[in-house]
Amino acid sequence: MSKITLTFEYEKETKNSVRYQEVPEAGKAPIMGTLYVQKWYAGNTKTLEVTIEKKD
């Protein structure tokens, strides 16, 4: 199993959600890229962290 925590920064608001863009580690490609989070949850948060885990 492999776990990684990704950081996302605020990009813009859409009608019902907030769009965040992944901040990749230096020299690495993004893993998820763009993340949409519903406005009722995101509120005015400018940075999110998401942990994903691969299960073999």
Side-chain angles (χ1 to χ4, degrees), residues 21-45:
Q21 188 65 38
E22 181 180 349
V23 179
E25 293 181 30
K28 292 189 178 180
I31 294 172
M32 293 180 67
T34 303
L35 178 68
Y36 287 86
V37 179
Q38 295 299 302
K39 281 184 181 178
W40 67 263
Y41 183 78
N44 59 1
T45 302

Side-chain angles (χ1 to χ4, degrees), residues 1-54:
M1 290 184 266
S2 174
K3 254 187 204 183
I4 190 165
T5 300
L6 308 172
T7 302
F8 293 82
E9 288 185 347
Y10 175 89
E11 187 172 12
K12 69 177 187 174
E13 287 189 24
T14 62
K15 183 177 179 184
N16 295 314
S17 60
V18 180
R19 180 175 163 164
Y20 293 88
Q21 188 65 38
E22 181 180 349
V23 179
E25 293 181 30
K28 292 189 178 180
I31 294 172
M32 293 180 67
T34 303
L35 178 68
Y36 287 86
V37 179
Q38 295 299 302
K39 281 184 181 178
W40 67 263
Y41 183 78
N44 59 1
T45 302
K46 298 298 180 195
T47 304
L48 290 176
E49 285 189 353
V50 176
T51 302
I52 58 173
E53 180 177 357
K54 292 191 310 186

